[in-house]
mmCIF file of all heavy atoms in Angstrom:
data_model
loop_
_atom_site.group_PDB
_atom_site.id
_atom_site.type_symbol
_atom_site.label_atom_id
_atom_site.label_comp_id
_atom_site.label_asym_id
_atom_site.label_seq_id
_atom_site.Cartn_x
_atom_site.Cartn_y
_atom_site.Cartn_z
ATOM 1 N N PHE A 41 -13.715 62.490 26.033
ATOM 2 C CA PHE A 41 -14.392 63.337 27.011
ATOM 3 C C PHE A 41 -15.426 62.536 27.800
ATOM 4 O O PHE A 41 -15.513 62.642 29.030
ATOM 5 C CB PHE A 41 -15.053 64.521 26.308
ATOM 6 C CG PHE A 41 -15.800 65.433 27.238
ATOM 7 C CD1 PHE A 41 -15.135 66.175 28.199
ATOM 8 C CD2 PHE A 41 -17.190 65.551 27.150
ATOM 9 C CE1 PHE A 41 -15.826 67.016 29.065
ATOM 10 C CE2 PHE A 41 -17.887 66.385 28.000
ATOM 11 C CZ PHE A 41 -17.205 67.120 28.967
ATOM 12 N N ARG A 42 -16.216 61.712 27.110
ATOM 13 C CA ARG A 42 -17.202 60.870 27.808
ATOM 14 C C ARG A 42 -16.533 59.908 28.772
ATOM 15 O O ARG A 42 -16.980 59.719 29.900
ATOM 16 C CB ARG A 42 -18.051 60.081 26.797
ATOM 17 C CG ARG A 42 -19.122 60.877 26.102
ATOM 18 C CD ARG A 42 -20.133 59.962 25.415
ATOM 19 N NE ARG A 42 -19.503 59.073 24.450
ATOM 20 C CZ ARG A 42 -19.295 59.380 23.174
ATOM 21 N NH1 ARG A 42 -19.654 60.573 22.711
ATOM 22 N NH2 ARG A 42 -18.736 58.512 22.366
ATOM 23 N N LEU A 43 -15.432 59.313 28.320
ATOM 24 C CA LEU A 43 -14.703 58.366 29.167
ATOM 25 C C LEU A 43 -14.181 59.048 30.431
ATOM 26 O O LEU A 43 -14.316 58.531 31.548
ATOM 27 C CB LEU A 43 -13.541 57.752 28.371
ATOM 28 C CG LEU A 43 -12.661 56.744 29.105
ATOM 29 C CD1 LEU A 43 -13.471 55.516 29.508
ATOM 30 C CD2 LEU A 43 -11.481 56.333 28.223
ATOM 31 N N LEU A 44 -13.597 60.227 30.263
ATOM 32 C CA LEU A 44 -13.055 60.963 31.407
ATOM 33 C C LEU A 44 -14.163 61.367 32.378
ATOM 34 O O LEU A 44 -14.018 61.218 33.604
ATOM 35 C CB LEU A 44 -12.299 62.201 30.919
ATOM 36 C CG LEU A 44 -10.988 61.938 30.167
ATOM 37 C CD1 LEU A 44 -10.534 63.195 29.427
ATOM 38 C CD2 LEU A 44 -9.896 61.464 31.116
ATOM 39 N N THR A 45 -15.253 61.890 31.842
ATOM 40 C CA THR A 45 -16.336 62.335 32.727
ATOM 41 C C THR A 45 -17.034 61.147 33.397
ATOM 42 O O THR A 45 -17.442 61.245 34.560
ATOM 43 C CB THR A 45 -17.351 63.201 31.974
ATOM 44 O OG1 THR A 45 -17.777 62.530 30.783
ATOM 45 C CG2 THR A 45 -16.737 64.538 31.576
ATOM 46 N N ASP A 46 -17.154 60.024 32.693
ATOM 47 C CA ASP A 46 -17.739 58.822 33.298
ATOM 48 C C ASP A 46 -16.902 58.352 34.484
ATOM 49 O O ASP A 46 -17.441 57.813 35.463
ATOM 50 C CB ASP A 46 -17.849 57.688 32.280
ATOM 51 C CG ASP A 46 -18.988 57.904 31.280
ATOM 52 O OD1 ASP A 46 -19.822 58.816 31.517
ATOM 53 O OD2 ASP A 46 -19.028 57.184 30.261
ATOM 54 N N LYS A 47 -15.584 58.550 34.379
ATOM 55 C CA LYS A 47 -14.681 58.168 35.471
ATOM 56 C C LYS A 47 -14.530 59.282 36.508
ATOM 57 O O LYS A 47 -13.697 59.198 37.401
ATOM 58 C CB LYS A 47 -13.306 57.799 34.899
ATOM 59 C CG LYS A 47 -13.299 56.500 34.114
ATOM 60 C CD LYS A 47 -11.917 56.218 33.537
ATOM 61 C CE LYS A 47 -11.879 54.878 32.821
ATOM 62 N NZ LYS A 47 -11.945 53.729 33.731
ATOM 63 N N LYS A 48 -15.340 60.358 36.319
ATOM 64 C CA LYS A 48 -15.320 61.501 37.234
ATOM 65 C C LYS A 48 -13.939 62.168 37.305
ATOM 66 O O LYS A 48 -13.487 62.619 38.358
ATOM 67 C CB LYS A 48 -15.798 61.098 38.629
ATOM 68 C CG LYS A 48 -17.267 60.630 38.619
ATOM 69 C CD LYS A 48 -17.760 60.281 39.993
ATOM 70 C CE LYS A 48 -19.286 60.099 40.027
ATOM 71 N NZ LYS A 48 -19.866 59.364 38.912
ATOM 72 N N LEU A 49 -13.261 62.216 36.152
ATOM 73 C CA LEU A 49 -11.982 62.903 36.030
ATOM 74 C C LEU A 49 -12.224 64.300 35.445
ATOM 75 O O LEU A 49 -13.191 64.515 34.722
ATOM 76 C CB LEU A 49 -11.029 62.108 35.145
ATOM 77 C CG LEU A 49 -10.712 60.690 35.648
ATOM 78 C CD1 LEU A 49 -9.858 59.937 34.644
ATOM 79 C CD2 LEU A 49 -10.003 60.736 37.002
ATOM 80 N N ILE A 50 -11.337 65.233 35.758
ATOM 81 C CA ILE A 50 -11.511 66.621 35.315
ATOM 82 C C ILE A 50 -11.234 66.722 33.824
ATOM 83 O O ILE A 50 -10.153 66.361 33.353
ATOM 84 C CB ILE A 50 -10.574 67.562 36.091
ATOM 85 C CG1 ILE A 50 -10.906 67.536 37.585
ATOM 86 C CG2 ILE A 50 -10.680 68.996 35.562
ATOM 87 C CD1 ILE A 50 -9.857 68.220 38.451
ATOM 88 N N ALA A 51 -12.233 67.210 33.085
ATOM 89 C CA ALA A 51 -12.073 67.340 31.630
ATOM 90 C C ALA A 51 -13.026 68.413 31.117
ATOM 91 O O ALA A 51 -14.075 68.674 31.711
ATOM 92 C CB ALA A 51 -12.354 66.015 30.938
ATOM 93 N N ARG A 52 -12.632 68.992 29.995
ATOM 94 C CA ARG A 52 -13.501 69.949 29.299
ATOM 95 C C ARG A 52 -13.328 69.735 27.809
ATOM 96 O O ARG A 52 -12.206 69.538 27.333
ATOM 97 C CB ARG A 52 -13.127 71.376 29.682
ATOM 98 C CG ARG A 52 -14.129 72.374 29.113
ATOM 99 C CD ARG A 52 -13.999 73.760 29.694
ATOM 100 N NE ARG A 52 -15.039 74.603 29.120
ATOM 101 C CZ ARG A 52 -14.882 75.860 28.741
ATOM 102 N NH1 ARG A 52 -13.705 76.444 28.886
ATOM 103 N NH2 ARG A 52 -15.872 76.542 28.225
ATOM 104 N N PHE A 53 -14.444 69.744 27.086
ATOM 105 C CA PHE A 53 -14.411 69.595 25.632
ATOM 106 C C PHE A 53 -15.003 70.844 25.000
ATOM 107 O O PHE A 53 -16.129 71.248 25.323
ATOM 108 C CB PHE A 53 -15.194 68.356 25.200
ATOM 109 C CG PHE A 53 -15.395 68.254 23.707
ATOM 110 C CD1 PHE A 53 -14.318 68.344 22.838
ATOM 111 C CD2 PHE A 53 -16.664 68.066 23.169
ATOM 112 C CE1 PHE A 53 -14.500 68.252 21.461
ATOM 113 C CE2 PHE A 53 -16.858 67.970 21.799
ATOM 114 C CZ PHE A 53 -15.774 68.065 20.942
ATOM 115 N N ILE A 54 -14.245 71.476 24.098
ATOM 116 C CA ILE A 54 -14.704 72.670 23.403
ATOM 117 C C ILE A 54 -14.794 72.353 21.909
ATOM 118 O O ILE A 54 -13.763 72.222 21.234
ATOM 119 C CB ILE A 54 -13.755 73.861 23.651
ATOM 120 C CG1 ILE A 54 -13.691 74.170 25.147
ATOM 121 C CG2 ILE A 54 -14.216 75.092 22.853
ATOM 122 C CD1 ILE A 54 -12.695 75.243 25.524
ATOM 123 N N PRO A 55 -16.026 72.185 21.378
ATOM 124 C CA PRO A 55 -16.160 71.959 19.933
ATOM 125 C C PRO A 55 -15.886 73.243 19.173
ATOM 126 O O PRO A 55 -16.390 74.306 19.530
ATOM 127 C CB PRO A 55 -17.627 71.524 19.782
ATOM 128 C CG PRO A 55 -18.326 72.075 20.984
ATOM 129 C CD PRO A 55 -17.321 72.194 22.083
ATOM 130 N N MET A 56 -15.052 73.146 18.145
ATOM 131 C CA MET A 56 -14.739 74.300 17.303
ATOM 132 C C MET A 56 -15.634 74.211 16.068
ATOM 133 O O MET A 56 -15.323 73.530 15.087
ATOM 134 C CB MET A 56 -13.253 74.306 16.945
ATOM 135 C CG MET A 56 -12.319 74.369 18.160
ATOM 136 S SD MET A 56 -12.557 75.852 19.179
ATOM 137 C CE MET A 56 -11.948 77.121 18.058
ATOM 138 N N LEU A 57 -16.758 74.903 16.144
ATOM 139 C CA LEU A 57 -17.795 74.765 15.125
ATOM 140 C C LEU A 57 -17.344 75.336 13.781
ATOM 141 O O LEU A 57 -16.831 76.456 13.706
ATOM 142 C CB LEU A 57 -19.074 75.452 15.595
ATOM 143 C CG LEU A 57 -19.645 74.929 16.921
ATOM 144 C CD1 LEU A 57 -20.901 75.695 17.294
ATOM 145 C CD2 LEU A 57 -19.913 73.430 16.853
ATOM 146 N N GLY A 58 -17.537 74.524 12.749
ATOM 147 C CA GLY A 58 -17.173 74.938 11.397
ATOM 148 C C GLY A 58 -15.693 74.841 11.091
ATOM 149 O O GLY A 58 -15.269 75.195 9.989
ATOM 150 N N LYS A 59 -14.911 74.332 12.032
ATOM 151 C CA LYS A 59 -13.452 74.273 11.848
ATOM 152 C C LYS A 59 -13.010 72.864 11.480
ATOM 153 O O LYS A 59 -13.612 71.863 11.878
ATOM 154 C CB LYS A 59 -12.722 74.730 13.119
ATOM 155 C CG LYS A 59 -13.135 76.127 13.599
ATOM 156 C CD LYS A 59 -12.902 77.186 12.536
ATOM 157 C CE LYS A 59 -13.345 78.558 13.022
ATOM 158 N NZ LYS A 59 -13.214 79.591 11.957
ATOM 159 N N GLY A 60 -11.917 72.802 10.729
ATOM 160 C CA GLY A 60 -11.360 71.533 10.299
ATOM 161 C C GLY A 60 -10.233 71.073 11.204
ATOM 162 O O GLY A 60 -10.214 71.352 12.406
ATOM 163 N N HIS A 61 -9.252 70.394 10.602
ATOM 164 C CA HIS A 61 -8.195 69.778 11.400
ATOM 165 C C HIS A 61 -7.209 70.791 11.975
ATOM 166 O O HIS A 61 -6.423 70.457 12.850
ATOM 167 C CB HIS A 61 -7.454 68.727 10.566
ATOM 168 C CG HIS A 61 -6.560 67.850 11.379
ATOM 169 N ND1 HIS A 61 -7.029 67.068 12.422
ATOM 170 C CD2 HIS A 61 -5.210 67.648 11.333
ATOM 171 C CE1 HIS A 61 -6.021 66.422 12.968
ATOM 172 N NE2 HIS A 61 -4.907 66.751 12.332
ATOM 173 N N ASP A 62 -7.254 72.036 11.487
ATOM 174 C CA ASP A 62 -6.397 73.060 12.101
ATOM 175 C C ASP A 62 -6.990 73.569 13.408
ATOM 176 O O ASP A 62 -6.367 74.370 14.110
ATOM 177 C CB ASP A 62 -6.159 74.229 11.139
ATOM 178 C CG ASP A 62 -7.408 75.072 10.908
ATOM 179 O OD1 ASP A 62 -8.532 74.579 11.185
ATOM 180 O OD2 ASP A 62 -7.269 76.214 10.443
ATOM 181 N N CYS A 63 -8.216 73.104 13.713
ATOM 182 C CA CYS A 63 -8.891 73.461 14.970
ATOM 183 C C CYS A 63 -9.123 74.965 15.091
ATOM 184 O O CYS A 63 -9.248 75.496 16.196
ATOM 185 C CB CYS A 63 -8.080 72.949 16.159
ATOM 186 S SG CYS A 63 -9.094 72.374 17.529
ATOM 187 N N GLY A 64 -9.111 75.655 13.960
ATOM 188 C CA GLY A 64 -9.342 77.094 13.976
ATOM 189 C C GLY A 64 -8.126 77.930 14.285
ATOM 190 O O GLY A 64 -8.224 79.154 14.422
ATOM 191 N N MET A 65 -6.955 77.302 14.343
ATOM 192 C CA MET A 65 -5.740 78.040 14.707
ATOM 193 C C MET A 65 -5.210 78.904 13.574
ATOM 194 O O MET A 65 -4.294 79.696 13.782
ATOM 195 C CB MET A 65 -4.654 77.067 15.177
ATOM 196 C CG MET A 65 -4.996 76.342 16.468
ATOM 197 S SD MET A 65 -5.279 77.466 17.858
ATOM 198 C CE MET A 65 -3.594 77.929 18.269
ATOM 199 N N ASN A 66 -5.777 78.776 12.382
ATOM 200 C CA ASN A 66 -5.346 79.595 11.244
ATOM 201 C C ASN A 66 -6.260 80.793 10.988
ATOM 202 O O ASN A 66 -6.084 81.499 9.997
ATOM 203 C CB ASN A 66 -5.243 78.728 9.981
ATOM 204 C CG ASN A 66 -4.095 77.746 10.066
ATOM 205 O OD1 ASN A 66 -3.016 78.085 10.520
ATOM 206 N ND2 ASN A 66 -4.330 76.516 9.653
ATOM 207 N N GLN A 67 -7.222 81.003 11.884
ATOM 208 C CA GLN A 67 -8.093 82.175 11.786
ATOM 209 C C GLN A 67 -7.991 82.958 13.100
ATOM 210 O O GLN A 67 -8.141 82.368 14.185
ATOM 211 C CB GLN A 67 -9.543 81.763 11.535
ATOM 212 C CG GLN A 67 -9.776 81.031 10.218
ATOM 213 C CD GLN A 67 -9.547 79.536 10.307
ATOM 214 O OE1 GLN A 67 -9.895 78.903 11.286
ATOM 215 N NE2 GLN A 67 -8.937 78.970 9.273
ATOM 216 N N PRO A 68 -7.730 84.251 13.027
ATOM 217 C CA PRO A 68 -7.458 85.030 14.242
ATOM 218 C C PRO A 68 -8.546 84.957 15.310
ATOM 219 O O PRO A 68 -8.242 84.862 16.497
ATOM 220 C CB PRO A 68 -7.306 86.464 13.716
ATOM 221 C CG PRO A 68 -6.882 86.309 12.298
ATOM 222 C CD PRO A 68 -7.564 85.074 11.807
ATOM 223 N N ASP A 69 -9.829 84.963 14.922
ATOM 224 C CA ASP A 69 -10.894 84.969 15.926
ATOM 225 C C ASP A 69 -10.955 83.655 16.693
ATOM 226 O O ASP A 69 -11.004 83.643 17.932
ATOM 227 C CB ASP A 69 -12.253 85.290 15.274
ATOM 228 C CG ASP A 69 -12.601 84.335 14.126
ATOM 229 O OD1 ASP A 69 -11.689 83.662 13.604
ATOM 230 O OD2 ASP A 69 -13.796 84.259 13.769
ATOM 231 N N SER A 70 -10.911 82.538 15.969
ATOM 232 C CA SER A 70 -10.975 81.242 16.644
ATOM 233 C C SER A 70 -9.646 80.909 17.337
ATOM 234 O O SER A 70 -9.624 80.248 18.377
ATOM 235 C CB SER A 70 -11.369 80.131 15.671
ATOM 236 O OG SER A 70 -10.628 80.198 14.474
ATOM 237 N N GLU A 71 -8.530 81.366 16.767
ATOM 238 C CA GLU A 71 -7.234 81.185 17.431
ATOM 239 C C GLU A 71 -7.256 81.848 18.809
ATOM 240 O O GLU A 71 -6.779 81.272 19.800
ATOM 241 C CB GLU A 71 -6.119 81.780 16.580
ATOM 242 C CG GLU A 71 -4.735 81.635 17.213
ATOM 243 C CD GLU A 71 -3.670 82.426 16.464
ATOM 244 O OE1 GLU A 71 -3.950 83.580 16.080
ATOM 245 O OE2 GLU A 71 -2.563 81.901 16.288
ATOM 246 N N LYS A 72 -7.833 83.032 18.894
ATOM 247 C CA LYS A 72 -7.911 83.737 20.184
ATOM 248 C C LYS A 72 -8.763 82.954 21.185
ATOM 249 O O LYS A 72 -8.416 82.878 22.376
ATOM 250 C CB LYS A 72 -8.487 85.140 19.993
ATOM 251 C CG LYS A 72 -8.513 85.967 21.281
ATOM 252 C CD LYS A 72 -9.038 87.367 21.059
ATOM 253 C CE LYS A 72 -8.957 88.197 22.333
ATOM 254 N NZ LYS A 72 -9.653 87.595 23.486
ATOM 255 N N ILE A 73 -9.858 82.368 20.708
ATOM 256 C CA ILE A 73 -10.698 81.557 21.598
ATOM 257 C C ILE A 73 -9.874 80.422 22.204
ATOM 258 O O ILE A 73 -9.907 80.177 23.412
ATOM 259 C CB ILE A 73 -11.912 80.992 20.822
ATOM 260 C CG1 ILE A 73 -12.873 82.120 20.465
ATOM 261 C CG2 ILE A 73 -12.626 79.914 21.639
ATOM 262 C CD1 ILE A 73 -13.969 81.714 19.485
ATOM 263 N N VAL A 74 -9.112 79.717 21.353
ATOM 264 C CA VAL A 74 -8.296 78.595 21.821
ATOM 265 C C VAL A 74 -7.245 79.074 22.818
ATOM 266 O O VAL A 74 -7.081 78.496 23.900
ATOM 267 C CB VAL A 74 -7.637 77.863 20.633
ATOM 268 C CG1 VAL A 74 -6.638 76.817 21.135
ATOM 269 C CG2 VAL A 74 -8.691 77.206 19.756
ATOM 270 N N LEU A 75 -6.521 80.130 22.472
ATOM 271 C CA LEU A 75 -5.461 80.628 23.355
ATOM 272 C C LEU A 75 -6.031 81.121 24.682
ATOM 273 O O LEU A 75 -5.434 80.884 25.748
ATOM 274 C CB LEU A 75 -4.674 81.740 22.664
ATOM 275 C CG LEU A 75 -3.823 81.311 21.462
ATOM 276 C CD1 LEU A 75 -3.255 82.534 20.752
ATOM 277 C CD2 LEU A 75 -2.705 80.372 21.883
ATOM 278 N N ASP A 76 -7.172 81.796 24.647
ATOM 279 C CA ASP A 76 -7.806 82.261 25.886
ATOM 280 C C ASP A 76 -8.162 81.080 26.788
ATOM 281 O O ASP A 76 -7.945 81.121 28.004
ATOM 282 C CB ASP A 76 -9.080 83.057 25.576
ATOM 283 C CG ASP A 76 -8.807 84.445 25.012
ATOM 284 O OD1 ASP A 76 -7.641 84.896 25.050
ATOM 285 O OD2 ASP A 76 -9.766 85.077 24.519
ATOM 286 N N GLU A 77 -8.720 80.034 26.185
ATOM 287 C CA GLU A 77 -9.124 78.861 26.968
ATOM 288 C C GLU A 77 -7.908 78.120 27.524
ATOM 289 O O GLU A 77 -7.934 77.646 28.667
ATOM 290 C CB GLU A 77 -9.977 77.916 26.110
ATOM 291 C CG GLU A 77 -11.329 78.473 25.714
ATOM 292 C CD GLU A 77 -12.290 78.604 26.895
ATOM 293 O OE1 GLU A 77 -12.003 78.065 27.982
ATOM 294 O OE2 GLU A 77 -13.340 79.253 26.721
ATOM 295 N N ILE A 78 -6.847 78.006 26.722
ATOM 296 C CA ILE A 78 -5.624 77.365 27.227
ATOM 297 C C ILE A 78 -5.063 78.163 28.395
ATOM 298 O O ILE A 78 -4.666 77.593 29.421
ATOM 299 C CB ILE A 78 -4.568 77.230 26.108
ATOM 300 C CG1 ILE A 78 -5.037 76.258 25.026
ATOM 301 C CG2 ILE A 78 -3.230 76.758 26.689
ATOM 302 C CD1 ILE A 78 -4.130 76.189 23.809
ATOM 303 N N GLN A 79 -5.025 79.476 28.245
ATOM 304 C CA GLN A 79 -4.506 80.334 29.314
ATOM 305 C C GLN A 79 -5.294 80.119 30.609
ATOM 306 O O GLN A 79 -4.708 79.958 31.688
ATOM 307 C CB GLN A 79 -4.570 81.796 28.884
ATOM 308 C CG GLN A 79 -3.983 82.755 29.917
ATOM 309 C CD GLN A 79 -3.932 84.192 29.405
ATOM 310 O OE1 GLN A 79 -4.387 84.492 28.302
ATOM 311 N NE2 GLN A 79 -3.363 85.075 30.198
#
């Protein structure tokens, strides 16, 4: 994310707080956050 923004390229970073390597996709509330943002 830092590299992309330093180069002035379009990027967004969303930290999934308290989540592990599943990125929160195994919990309905955080899964919805991810899907909403992807959409």
